[in-house]
Amino acid sequence: MKSLKLKILVAILSFAFGITAFFVWDGFKALPDAVQTELIGSPRSNNIALQISTQKSEVKVGEQISLKAVISNNDKDVVMLVSLGDGSEHAWRTPLVQWSIIKNDKAAQHPSEPKASEEGRCGLMNALKSDEVFWLASGETKELQNWVYLPPFEEPGVYRVAFLYANRPSLKWRNESSLQHNQVAFWRAKHSTETTIVSNELVFTVRE
């Protein structure tokens, strides 16, 4: 019984916070643009970069690949971004991400923005956590450590690989109404910096 009462209390408090945040934000938008930028950073930026790297460019078919992805803010303003998470590859939440993998074609170009994966998966999705929304001051960098998985190559060949990241604050989440999300983080994600990034390119030689 105590557990049920506690859950009801948490739900009520979360709802109250959401309503309060809505009205606070509505009033916040009436402030001058310079004040808004100073408080939450740029609402949109084309000056954010993503660098991927690996210590092993020659791999075998089916081998797990270790990669490092570092995002950096080259804008003059502070930006607020969201870490990729469960559902990002299917456009179930922001950011939307995609691996662009081109085999044996030097002329082909990587897409300019990610496309949602059409591969099947379960309908469940993890809740947003407080540390999944982060600030980057001008010149700062952050390594993206979760859900950065390049799938193993299934055939031999030479592959050109890039990583695409698009933070879309206005994107409707699959489980947007879930109270399991950290409500503060979710509010921040909805008002984070919009950006689309195509990383540098890595070339892998895949052997049997």
Side-chain angles (χ1 to χ4, degrees):
M1 182 61 70
K2 289 183 178 180
S3 177
L4 178 60
K5 289 181 178 179
L6 180 59
K7 290 181 179 179
I8 293 175
L9 178 60
V10 170
I12 292 173
L13 290 174
S14 297
F15 177 78
F17 176 82
I19 293 296
T20 302
F22 172 81
F23 285 107
V24 168
W25 176 249
D26 199 50
F28 178 79
K29 289 188 294 182
L31 294 173
D33 290 343
V35 176
Q36 293 186 37
T37 299
E38 183 67 24
L39 292 175
I40 68 168
S42 174
R44 180 177 297 172
S45 175
N46 297 319
N47 296 313
I48 302 173
L50 181 60
Q51 184 79 16
I52 57 174
S53 60
T54 182
Q55 295 182 340
K56 191 175 183 181
S57 60
E58 292 194 11
V59 298
K60 295 181 178 180
V61 170
E63 181 179 343
Q64 294 292 329
I65 301 166
S66 177
L67 284 167
K68 183 177 181 180
V70 176
I71 198 165
S72 57
N73 179 19
N74 299 323
D75 204 303
K76 61 182 178 61
D77 296 319
V78 174
V79 297
M80 184 164 61
L81 299 171
V82 186
S83 296
L84 52 156
D86 186 21
S88 284
E89 73 286 359
H90 286 77
W92 287 3
R93 51 157 289 169
T94 195
L96 172 59
V97 298
Q98 176 195 351
W99 286 103
S100 174
I101 303 173
I102 301 172
K103 180 183 179 183
N104 297 333
D105 188 346
K106 294 182 179 180
Q109 299 294 315
H110 294 289
S112 59
E113 59 182 52
K115 179 181 178 181
S117 172
E118 296 180 353
E119 292 186 7
R121 56 157 290 170
C122 74
L124 299 177
M125 178 178 149
N126 293 344
L128 182 71
K129 298 179 180 178
S130 60
D131 61 353
E132 292 184 63
V133 185
F134 60 92
W135 300 96
L136 276 183
S138 179
E140 280 192 330
T141 64
K142 178 180 176 64
E143 182 178 355
L144 301 177
Q145 296 182 322
N146 297 321
W147 302 91
V148 186
Y149 305 124
L150 176 64
F153 298 105
E154 299 180 353
E155 297 178 350
V158 177
Y159 294 82
R160 296 164 47 213
V161 175
F163 189 54
L164 286 73
Y165 168 107
N167 192 44
R168 298 285 183 265
S170 61
L171 180 69
K172 183 175 177 59
W173 292 40
R174 182 180 176 88
N175 61 349
E176 186 155 309
S177 60
S178 174
L179 293 177
Q180 293 184 355
H181 293 305
N182 180 289
Q183 296 301 305
V184 175
F186 191 76
W187 183 87
R188 294 174 68 206
K190 281 293 185 178
H191 302 95
S192 55
T193 304
E194 182 171 350
T195 189
T196 299
I197 317 168
V198 180
S199 78
N200 61 305
E201 182 181 81
L202 296 179
V203 178
F204 290 92
T205 301
V206 183
R207 308 187 188 283
E208 290 283 6

